[in-house]
Amino acid sequence: MRKEGLYMKRMLSGIKPTGRVTLGNYIGAIKPFVSYQDEYEMYIFIANLHSMTIYQKPADLRQNTRDLIALYIAAGLDPEKVTLFLQSDVLEHAQLGWYLGCMVSMGELSRMTQYKDKKAKNEVIGAGIFNYPSLMNADILMYDPDYVPVGEDQKQHVELCRDIAERFNSRYSETFKIPEPLVTKVGGRIMDLQNPTKKMSKSDEIGKGTIYILDDIQVSKKKIKSAVTDSDGHIHYDPENKPGISNLLEIYSILVNRSIADLEKQYDGKGYGEFKNDLAEVLGEELEKIQTRYHEIMSGSYLDDVLEKGAQKARIIARKKLAKVERKIGITIRKR
Ligand code: TYM
């Protein structure tokens, strides 16, 4: 049974609406969110301000944003239980992001892997990529969550957020709760199907290593069947020596909600072909369910209503928190 308000711990997380939603996002983030919604008070948002750190075609951004919110719901998030909102609808995020950006050092921001990876590519990068964690810190600290469920790649950002919260609290007195990153043991880092030593990402140049949730289902099944594995033919979980099959085992385990050990037992002595066929079927069924629901949600004005309601709820908390911060740091001068 769902516990009531005061007794529930709070969770917050977000996803950027850049590119199409991948199986990595689904397994590492969206599916865990759905599993937490009865246990926690949840705030889930679309990080559309963060998406501006890389140029987005306006029409694509609009489409990807609507797709993402519809996918959250299609995957099972219930807007009656979870507060779903757009980051840009709550103006306080950007303002708190500015204050927190003034409290983080250039050294700390330079150590962020996401920034370092982008820099290593030697392309021209905007200042937004560098300053990105400050806005993320604001997204999180604004709502005093106990936990921030994220994939492995975002853990470093949440750890920086903890440092900044502690810094603020010790400089200005207790203001923010120190959040904990929550990375699922299985599925926290889904790998590229063609190169299982690399994270599955939205920008998959060849196109065969990443599964997109809204893609043609037959194409996605094919990608599973042609995923790179190894030649020893034994279905066993060993991410270091058998990254391909281990990645598929993680995907399978999350999709059917069974342990990896259990799946290993079931497929003991069976070949990769049979395993991949079964996984392709399971994935196909899950995608079909999500896509059917997605199309229902996309027609009509349901999404707009959900976002409006979510923004109203989020704004109440955000306004209060920002006012508190501004009083503490000396920005507010009015007595009343
Ligand atoms: P983003 O949009 O890159 O990714 C959204 C979520 O999906 C997870 N993820 C993965 N998990 C497993 N395997 C993968 N291959 C994989 N790829 C992505 C990510 O870890 C993430 O949890 N900065 C964030 C968005 C953000 C945010 C926040 C998150 C902005 N503010 C506040 C939490 C709290 C991002 O770019 O996620």
Side-chain angles (χ1 to χ4, degrees):
M1 213 180 70
R2 190 172 160 80
K3 292 179 230 154
E4 275 318 312
L6 276 177
Y7 303 102
M8 282 177 134
K9 295 247 186 199
R10 190 177 282 180
M11 256 187 196
L12 169 133
S13 198
I15 303 186
K16 286 193 307 281
T18 45
R20 293 171 296 152
V21 179
T22 69
L23 186 65
N25 299 135
Y26 181 66
I27 302 256
I30 300 178
K31 213 163 155 73
F33 298 165
V34 175
S35 74
Y36 298 135
Q37 67 182 340
D38 287 318
E39 293 280 321
Y40 296 90
E41 180 195 354
M42 294 195 75
Y43 291 80
I44 300 291
F45 66 96
I46 308 278
N48 56 352
L49 298 182
H50 277 104
S51 73
M52 299 309 292
T53 50
I54 296 174
Y55 170 74
Q56 308 290 318
K57 258 197 201 157
D60 290 352
L61 180 59
R62 277 190 282 272
Q63 181 69 38
N64 290 333
T65 304
R66 291 190 79 81
D67 277 357
L68 186 52
I69 197 89
L71 273 180
Y72 277 144
I73 301 169
L77 277 186
D78 177 353
E80 295 296 321
K81 295 179 186 164
V82 175
T83 304
L84 287 175
F85 66 100
L86 281 184
Q87 188 185 30
S88 60
D89 276 345
V90 185
L91 304 182
E92 285 78 3
H93 285 231
Q95 186 136 342
L96 181 59
W98 170 256
Y99 297 135
L100 298 179
C102 296
M103 296 192 64
V104 66
S105 73
M106 303 274 285
E108 284 169 316
L109 293 176
S110 323
R111 285 195 286 279
M112 295 297 111
T113 309
Q114 186 166 297
Y115 164 70
K116 285 200 292 194
D117 286 352
K118 289 261 166 18
K119 194 163 161 251
K121 286 192 181 150
N122 265 336
E123 291 159 10
V124 176
I125 46 177
I129 291 276
F130 185 65
N131 223 354
Y132 181 112
S134 298
L135 180 59
M136 182 157 163
N137 291 343
D139 299 335
I140 298 172
L141 298 180
M142 188 79 87
Y143 299 90
D144 287 322
D146 297 277
Y147 300 107
V148 182
V150 282
E152 186 66 48
D153 62 326
Q154 293 296 324
K155 196 169 164 207
Q156 191 190 27
H157 287 155
V158 184
E159 275 156 5
L160 176 65
C161 178
R162 289 168 60 87
D163 292 345
I164 299 304
E166 274 162 10
R167 190 169 303 163
F168 190 104
N169 287 350
S170 73
R171 201 177 278 179
Y172 298 106
S173 84
E174 200 63 28
T175 307
F176 298 121
K177 187 171 246 175
I178 312 297
E180 261 186 60
L182 199 70
V183 181
T184 48
K185 281 207 189 77
V186 172
R189 189 172 171 82
I190 296 301
M191 306 309 253
D192 185 287
L193 299 173
Q194 289 299 311
N195 178 3
T197 55
K198 178 180 145 245
K199 190 189 80 160
M200 182 183 283
S201 85
K202 287 169 184 163
S203 49
D204 165 29
E205 281 106 24
I206 309 163
K208 285 169 77 181
T210 297
I211 287 179
Y212 298 100
I213 301 296
L214 291 174
D215 246 11
D216 183 279
I217 295 176
Q218 294 312 321
V219 171
S220 298
K221 286 165 82 170
K222 233 187 185 153
K223 288 183 186 173
I224 292 283
K225 291 182 192 171
S226 58
V228 166
T229 43
D230 52 62
S231 55
D232 98 351
H234 183 48
I235 296 166
H236 171 61
Y237 185 73
D238 178 355
E240 208 165 297
N241 300 307
K242 294 165 69 68
I245 201 73
S246 301
N247 189 37
L248 295 180
L249 272 166
E250 292 206 20
I251 295 172
Y252 204 151
S253 158
I254 296 289
L255 289 180
V256 296
N257 196 18
R258 281 173 56 197
S259 73
I260 288 183
D262 200 19
L263 292 170
E264 282 176 332
K265 223 182 277 162
Q266 180 185 338
Y267 286 96
D268 188 30
K270 297 192 174 146
Y272 289 167
E274 184 177 341
F275 173 82
K276 284 180 180 175
N277 276 338
D278 291 354
L279 172 54
E281 284 313 306
V282 165
L283 176 72
E285 278 166 29
E286 181 111 350
L287 293 180
E288 178 129 25
K289 258 194 290 177
I290 297 175
Q291 291 186 7
T292 307
R293 182 96 179 88
Y294 161 86
H295 289 295
E296 288 163 10
I297 294 165
M298 286 300 267
S299 56
S301 62
Y302 176 61
L303 276 192
D304 297 330
D305 298 341
V306 167
L307 290 178
E308 189 46 44
K309 220 173 107 199
Q312 280 178 18
K313 248 185 104 182
R315 279 183 201 127
I316 293 172
I317 299 180
R319 278 189 192 140
K320 229 168 127 186
K321 188 57 126 189
L322 185 68
K324 185 171 185 180
V325 166
E326 292 189 326
R327 269 196 315 274
K328 291 212 178 189
I329 62 180
I331 285 281
T332 303
I333 54 161
R334 290 181 200 87
K335 298 227 164 83
R336 284 190 304 138

